[in-house]
Amino acid sequence: MAEANILVAHDQFSCSVCLEILKDPVAIPCGHSYCMGCIKNCWDQTDHTGVYSCPQCRETFTPRPVLGRNTMLAEVVEKLKKTGLNPPPAQSYAGPGDVPCDFCTGRKFKAVKSCLTCLASYCETHVKPHYEGAAFKRHKLINAIGDLEQKLCAEHQKILEVFCRTDQTCICVLCIVKEHKSHDTVSAEKERSVKQKQLGETQTEIQQRIHERLKEIEELKQAVETLKRSACIEIKESEKIFTELIRSIEKIHTEVIELIGANEKAAVNQAEGRMKKLEQEIAELRRRNAELKQLSETEDHIHFLQNFQSLCAPPEAGDLPSITVNTDISFGAVRKAVSELKDHIEDFCKGELVKITTTVNEVAVYSLQAPEPRNRAEFLKYSCQLTLDPNTAHINLCLSEGNRKVTLRRETQRYPHHPERFERCAQVLCREGLSGTRCYWEIEWSGGGTSIGVTYKGISRKGGDHSCLLGFNDKSWSLLCSDSSYTALHNSNETAITAPRSPRIGVYLDFNAGTLSFYGVSDTMTLLHRFQTTFTEPLYPGFWLGSGFFVTIGSSVTICQLN
């Protein structure tokens, strides 16, 4: 009762503005009381209007009332504080999102407990009878929750305390004997314990995923920083290389210009030297011609005869060799050669730019990779159609069922000669080359054993030793199946696998990820072996009918129809 009185006192002596116990209390004309500072601050904000109102009843006053400390009210508040008035902290009041106490009057406190029996919520004060009163001992208290009406059965208005596993819904005790009479029902508490375990597993999975994502973010951050540093370095280095390339081209340019100039100068000097000698010879001939003219015109017969012998001798041929003057002089061929050099460099640069672009585009912070299929239904999404290639089949292999089945026969098959045919090994490949995608296929095998695999097209076809067999070279990967065991093979490296015999084998190829997986197929998918590598050429599925290095007549392999 005393506690209730304290709550009443707190409500009566609290300021409705700050919600705290009154400090320097003042009473305004309408009778309501406030802290001196609170009401002054409130009215200061409306000074510009000249109208002042009570924050509680909204009565207005003009002019602004003069405030005086209410001495009597202040003394009462002080006495109450000394006698134990200790108001609850501000956070104990119900705010947005909190569950209010159903028994508080006026401003409600925040509820701390809800009673599933009373269907009510209580603050710290009003919940105490549930702890102390004998009549409430069987009531079920939980942490405060809202919408308690949802805990009632809509049909019978009884508390929901049973779970129907058949309909996966909460019901009341009356529902058990009526609508859910023959259903699988348990107490809500028992079902909660079951689902709590599932919840824990889900939480663990979520936490693990959060951890993985945080790790992925950190890896991405580091990769981005590495990429930025690498890009900065490569840009600088590329600028150096291109600067050197430009200098080389400029040097070639200078050398060509200088070569043309030097050739021009040499040719001009040579021609000018020839012309000078020719001019000298012309001058000499003209001088002699003048002497002959003069001799021919003389009237002195004795003078004519005395000089005739020396002047009429044939002119000397001179020391100048005969030449042929090039009348079509041009450096056009040089221009053509330079133009061809330009075209060649441009074509070369275009080709190299394609390579560079491909190389640059391969640099990425991450690559998107779909998760590995988890069940047969997911594997079947990647199923592909395969057919056997008769041109590769050994002559003792008989193809049937639309080239989807191969059987080892004693009789020789009449296949025409073909360079891709296996000559000594009882093997056959499929027509389809697989690359750049995900593929899944299944085969059924019977007989003493078989080898299931994939290979590059360049596998040897002519040899008689085991190097031509699937898995015994660096061009192929295979799973050797026998009645008692399996063996994974690549480049003659063997991995023994212990697993029950499965007449149906699933093969899953993720070319880009570089994985080749073999599964035993039954009601479930059993991983037998997974190769992890980097594939560089299209892969051709293939089969070798035998066990060890021995063959069993009648052994067969069938490519299953999956669609």
Side-chain angles (χ1 to χ4, degrees), residues 10 13 38 40 72 76 143 163 202 242 268 334 392 397 431 438-440 444 467 470 482 499 521:
H10 178 271
F13 297 106
C38 291
K40 285 181 67 177
M72 184 178 69
V76 172
N143 289 333
F163 186 79
T202 303
F242 278 108
V268 169
V334 177
T392 66
L397 296 180
R431 295 178 183 273
R438 292 181 166 201
C439 300
Y440 177 75
E444 289 184 346
S467 64
L470 292 171
S482 66
V521 181

Side-chain angles (χ1 to χ4, degrees), residues 89-103:
Q91 61 266 25
S92 65
Y93 287 107
D98 293 329
V99 179
C101 174
D102 291 321
F103 283 80

Side-chain angles (χ1 to χ4, degrees), residues 214-400:
L214 288 173
K215 182 180 178 182
E216 188 175 313
I217 288 174
E218 186 60 31
E219 290 175 349
L220 281 171
K221 286 181 179 178
Q222 293 178 4
V224 167
E225 289 303 315
T226 302
L227 180 71
K228 287 180 178 179
R229 289 194 297 270
S230 178
C232 183
I233 292 171
E234 294 309 316
I235 288 173
K236 291 180 179 178
E237 292 300 318
S238 296
E239 286 177 346
K240 289 181 182 178
I241 293 171
F242 278 108
T243 299
E244 292 174 1
L245 178 61
I246 291 169
R247 286 175 181 169
S248 297
I249 293 175
E250 289 175 345
K251 183 179 179 182
I252 294 172
H253 168 233
T254 301
E255 289 176 354
V256 170
I257 298 303
E258 289 177 351
L259 179 63
I260 294 173
N263 183 275
E264 174 195 10
K265 184 176 181 180
V268 169
N269 289 340
Q270 185 180 20
E272 287 178 346
R274 177 78 180 190
M275 287 188 293
K276 185 175 182 180
K277 289 181 180 180
L278 288 173
E279 288 173 352
Q280 289 175 351
E281 184 177 347
I282 290 170
E284 178 62 24
L285 291 173
R286 283 178 175 171
R287 181 192 62 77
R288 188 172 178 187
N289 186 53
E291 289 178 350
L292 289 174
K293 182 180 179 183
Q294 184 179 2
L295 182 63
S296 67
E297 293 176 351
T298 184
E299 296 178 355
D300 187 345
H301 302 299
I302 299 301
H303 176 75
F304 179 88
L305 292 174
Q306 287 176 341
N307 291 285
F308 174 80
Q309 189 67 31
S310 60
L311 292 178
C312 285
E316 296 179 1
D319 58 355
L320 293 179
S322 176
I323 63 169
T324 301
V325 178
N326 183 7
T327 58
D328 187 19
I329 300 175
S330 172
F331 281 98
V334 177
R335 183 172 65 252
K336 181 180 179 182
V338 173
S339 180
E340 289 176 352
L341 174 63
K342 178 183 78 73
D343 294 340
H344 177 71
I345 292 175
E346 287 179 349
D347 291 342
F348 177 78
C349 289
K350 287 178 182 177
E352 291 304 307
L353 182 59
V354 171
K355 295 179 184 178
I356 293 171
T357 302
T358 302
T359 304
V360 171
N361 289 339
E362 288 175 353
V363 178
V365 174
Y366 67 91
S367 59
L368 292 175
Q369 186 64 43
E372 182 109 347
R374 293 168 293 182
N375 52 56
R376 187 166 180 266
E378 292 184 3
F379 279 104
L380 291 176
K381 295 177 182 178
Y382 303 101
S383 61
C384 61
Q385 296 292 335
L386 298 177
T387 54
L388 300 169
D389 185 358
N391 292 330
T392 66
H394 182 266
I395 56 175
N396 288 108
L397 296 180
C398 177
L399 306 187
S400 59

Side-chain angles (χ1 to χ4, degrees), residues 202-215:
T202 303
Q203 283 182 302
T204 301
E205 183 178 348
I206 290 174
Q207 290 168 358
Q208 178 64 26
R209 189 171 296 181
I210 291 172
H211 175 74
E212 291 173 355
R213 295 298 181 262
L214 288 173
K215 182 180 178 182

